[in-house]
Amino acid sequence: MKKLVLIMLLAVTSQLSLFSQEIESTEFRLEKNAIQLNVTNMPISIALKTISNKRIASEISFGIAALNNDTKYDDYIVNLKLHYLLKRGRKTNLYTGIITGIEFVNDPTFDLTTPFIGINTQYEYFIGKKKKNSLSIDISYIYGKKTYRKSYSADWGSVEYVGTFENSPFWFGLGYSFYF
Amino acid sequence: MKKITLSIAMAAMLMLNLCSCEKDELLFNTDDISVKITEGENWIHDFPLFLGINLKNPPQFAIWIEDTDGNYISTLFATKKIATEGWVSNKGNRRKEALPHWCYQRGIFYDDGLLLPTKEEPLTDGISGATPIAGIELKISPENILDQLVIKVEVNHSTDFNKTYPKNAKPEDSNYSGGEEGSGQPALIYSSLIDLSPGQSEYQLDLIGHSSPDGTDGDIYQDLSGITSAIKIINTIIVKIK
């Protein structure tokens, strides 16, 4: 597990250094904004996406998800993506970047928040000449884990337990964006 | 301004992630009791969903204490699905065959006449939590009201069929285990008498039998000849008095 965290941190650090180089070398003027609807194997979310005139894009999203195996979409996820544009085609964009956020898990037996961090790749395809609409495919690898403590007391004594909530590591998603 | 806001948001989330790496462990005092279940090679079991896709399922189990006369005292831990009626893809089966010995020892009837907690009335006399993917440890801090107690564990996988407990057994058959969404191999029961007076400080729970395959009674069946893969759900259950 330590190895995995180390690899993730290295990936994140390298991404951050790319961003910082880009931010330092360019003026951070905004070029495009979009609203994006994402359907993934984890959250169904709505995002506000901002693309700079150079190679930086950011995305902040709010989603609902069924995180604790009860099949109820009663958990919430807020996440932020920072993307670096790897390749720009006539109708396509290929991004890579980092994703971080917080999961709010709602469960009848415990209630906890789980921060997460990961790496993300997004392929975007624009529809139409005006490039107002696009479809995208997202793949993320996420690491997020949280321990929680529960106890029960009665006249015979008490019992205590430390459990672990671990989120699903892979997110696959399809998205639709409307640029305005 | 947007650049600063974005940087602050990113830094805040990264800090939160770093904070979440803190380790949270059980801390034991003298005379506390540790109950530790170590998972066996069949702890994770394939539960068929659809189109040949399987869900990797950990088992359902309950850990509880009794007095030396076999009277139920309290549940220590029960997995969330049985404690809150949180079954998925059970097609209406309340899974009375899941942990029948625990249900009967506990002896609390619910509105539908079954001994199983419901969504509306989940387990409150003990801890419930998601089934851990690899074993579990509990800390018991007993008051000075007991000299001896019995710790029991009952464990079961759903759809854990074998030749003796097949999927197609009929309700009138002795090896019926709840049908297609049922147990297959019945729940297994582990037990040990724990003496709290100074002396022995480590115990291992023994496999003492299996439960009723269809959950119609709370008896312990000592003949384990039809049990195959279920024996390897749990490797060991060790109790240590600190």
Side-chain angles (χ1 to χ4, degrees):
Chain A
M1 186 52 79
K2 279 185 180 171
K3 197 175 163 187
L4 180 70
V5 174
L6 201 65
I7 292 167
M8 295 276 292
L9 279 173
L10 277 173
V12 168
T13 313
S14 63
Q15 293 294 337
L16 276 175
S17 104
L18 275 175
F19 291 137
S20 60
Q21 282 169 24
E22 190 63 37
I23 287 166
E24 279 168 13
S25 66
T26 63
E27 203 175 322
F28 204 69
R29 282 190 292 119
L30 299 179
E31 190 179 85
K32 275 181 173 180
N33 288 315
I35 285 184
Q36 188 179 54
L37 178 70
N38 275 307
V39 180
T40 76
N41 59 325
M42 294 298 288
I44 296 170
S45 59
I46 190 152
L48 183 65
K49 189 173 176 176
T50 305
I51 303 174
S52 81
N53 58 341
K54 292 292 176 182
R55 288 179 175 266
I56 306 295
S58 66
E59 206 179 293
I60 185 154
S61 71
F62 173 80
I64 53 169
L67 295 171
N68 52 344
N69 293 329
D70 61 3
T71 66
K72 286 184 199 162
Y73 277 78
D74 58 356
D75 308 311
Y76 305 101
I77 297 181
V78 178
N79 68 260
L80 181 66
K81 286 179 197 166
L82 259 185
H83 275 152
Y84 181 78
L85 181 61
L86 274 182
K87 197 176 175 186
R88 178 178 277 158
R90 201 169 56 87
K91 283 192 155 189
T92 60
N93 282 338
L94 178 65
Y95 299 98
T96 184
I98 57 174
I99 175 172
T100 183
I102 305 170
E103 296 173 338
F104 299 90
V105 182
N106 181 20
D107 188 283
T109 55
F110 64 100
D111 197 352
L112 51 82
T113 57
T114 308
F116 63 87
I117 189 164
I119 46 179
N120 171 269
T121 297
Q122 188 179 84
Y123 178 79
E124 185 177 31
Y125 180 83
F126 287 94
I127 306 162
K129 285 180 183 171
K130 290 184 177 175
K131 289 191 171 182
K132 284 262 181 194
N133 302 282
S134 75
L135 297 173
S136 56
I137 298 171
D138 249 279
I139 300 171
S140 305
Y141 182 78
I142 301 293
Y143 175 76
K145 199 174 173 180
K146 182 84 183 256
T147 54
Y148 57 94
R149 192 175 285 270
K150 297 182 87 174
S151 63
Y152 170 74
S153 297
D155 53 0
W156 55 266
S158 64
V159 59
E160 198 176 332
Y161 165 68
V162 174
T164 305
F165 172 78
E166 204 164 347
N167 62 13
S168 177
F170 287 104
W171 289 8
F172 303 99
L174 296 173
Y176 164 76
S177 298
F178 173 73
Y179 285 85
F180 56 92
Chain B
M1 192 59 176
K2 279 182 185 285
K3 184 175 144 187
I4 294 168
T5 311
L6 200 66
S7 305
I8 291 170
M10 199 55 139
M13 288 198 179
L14 283 169
M15 284 305 290
L16 265 170
N17 277 293
L18 288 172
C19 292
S20 73
C21 292
E22 284 173 19
K23 225 173 181 180
D24 204 359
E25 290 177 338
L26 288 172
L27 298 171
F28 291 90
N29 296 315
T30 308
D31 295 334
D32 283 344
I33 301 171
S34 152
V35 181
K36 190 171 187 178
I37 298 180
T38 306
E39 73 282 2
E41 62 185 78
N42 293 333
W43 181 264
I44 301 294
H45 172 70
D46 285 341
F47 178 86
L49 277 182
F50 53 86
L51 301 172
I53 299 169
N54 291 316
L55 190 67
K56 299 287 181 193
N57 254 2
Q60 296 304 304
F61 62 88
I63 308 171
W64 72 101
I65 51 175
E66 295 178 0
D67 65 22
T68 49
D69 295 326
N71 298 308
Y72 171 88
I73 299 175
S74 177
T75 297
L76 302 176
F77 182 93
T79 44
K80 197 182 76 179
K81 285 180 183 170
I82 198 151
T84 64
E85 200 193 347
W87 307 104
V88 178
S89 302
N90 59 329
K91 297 178 184 169
N93 182 350
R94 286 265 279 124
R95 300 276 287 117
K96 64 175 183 168
E97 69 284 351
L99 304 174
H101 184 58
W102 170 68
C103 287
Y104 276 86
Q105 290 299 97
R106 189 166 165 262
I108 298 174
F109 284 92
Y110 291 83
D111 288 347
D112 58 1
L114 295 176
L115 291 151
L116 293 156
T118 62
K119 282 189 175 74
E120 295 73 30
E121 291 180 85
L123 175 91
T124 51
D125 53 322
I127 298 174
S128 65
T131 313
I133 50 170
I136 183 173
E137 184 173 21
L138 300 179
K139 179 180 102 172
I140 308 171
S141 304
E143 296 291 337
N144 294 326
I145 55 168
L146 296 166
D147 295 327
Q148 292 182 320
L149 56 86
V150 174
I151 297 182
K152 279 186 175 173
V153 174
E154 186 175 22
V155 63
N156 174 256
H157 267 309
S158 50
T159 69
D160 195 10
F161 300 105
N162 66 6
K163 277 184 184 173
T164 313
Y165 299 98
K167 189 190 282 191
N168 58 4
K170 300 284 181 287
E172 59 274 18
D173 297 337
S174 63
N175 59 353
Y176 178 72
S177 62
E180 286 191 9
E181 310 301 325
S183 279
Q185 295 172 75
L188 299 183
I189 304 157
Y190 296 80
S191 174
S192 180
L193 174 70
I194 311 295
D195 193 340
L196 299 176
S197 55
Q200 190 175 348
S201 62
E202 188 168 322
Y203 299 84
Q204 178 159 346
L205 270 65
D206 298 316
L207 177 59
I208 57 167
H210 69 77
S211 309
S212 160
D214 64 354
T216 51
D217 61 57
D219 296 345
I220 299 170
Y221 297 78
Q222 290 179 335
D223 179 10
L224 293 168
S225 57
I227 309 294
T228 52
S229 56
I231 282 176
K232 291 183 177 173
I233 296 173
I234 286 175
N235 186 11
T236 56
I237 306 169
I238 304 291
V239 174
K240 283 184 184 170
I241 302 170
K242 301 289 182 176

